[in-house]
Amino acid sequence: VQLVESGGGLVQPGGSLTLSCAASGSIFAINAMYWYRQAPGKEREVVAVITSGGITNYSESVKGRFTISRDNAGNTVSLQMNSLKPEDTAVYYCNADLLEDGAYDYDDYWGPGTQVTVSS
């Protein structure tokens, strides 16, 4: 099983960017899916979460600007980021609470991360 993020890059303040994450491999089921970020010198923090039923939650710092969505059939999760600010600059990570084929319990899986830089 692996998770791979895409869509990072350089964007000007006020701009938009969409991140995507695809989970592949021998997957039986996926529970919640998350986006985290880690800025230089700071701890990794959760940005947004979406359950298998589509319930979402966001950190206060991105509420109203970011939207998380998922495609259960395709095992993908996306993060639409609008009105980006320099303080959104970070490496963004996809995380999934996932049950692998043949496993007895859900486990935590991470992507390698994608860099988002907001700068003029």
Side-chain angles (χ1 to χ4, degrees), residues 71-116:
D71 174 3
N72 288 332
N75 291 333
T76 60
V77 62
S78 298
L79 186 69
Q80 172 67 43
M81 306 184 293
N82 298 325
S83 302
L84 282 160
K85 306 174 182 180
E87 51 263 42
D88 294 317
T89 295
V91 178
Y92 283 71
Y93 298 91
C94 173
N95 171 270
D97 185 26
L98 186 155
L99 181 64
E100 195 171 352
D101 277 343
Y104 291 100
D105 204 356
Y106 284 79
D107 206 350
D108 232 9
Y109 291 82
W110 291 88
T114 185
Q115 177 70 47
V116 171

Side-chain angles (χ1 to χ4, degrees), residues 14-51:
S16 298
L17 211 55
T18 299
L19 305 182
S20 296
C21 171
S24 61
S26 300
I27 299 168
F28 184 79
I30 301 178
N31 195 2
M33 300 186 81
Y34 300 78
W35 284 100
Y36 284 76
R37 69 184 180 187
Q38 187 166 18
K42 295 189 176 181
E43 291 189 356
R44 192 172 297 188
E45 63 173 356
V46 63
V47 174
V49 57
I50 184 165
T51 68

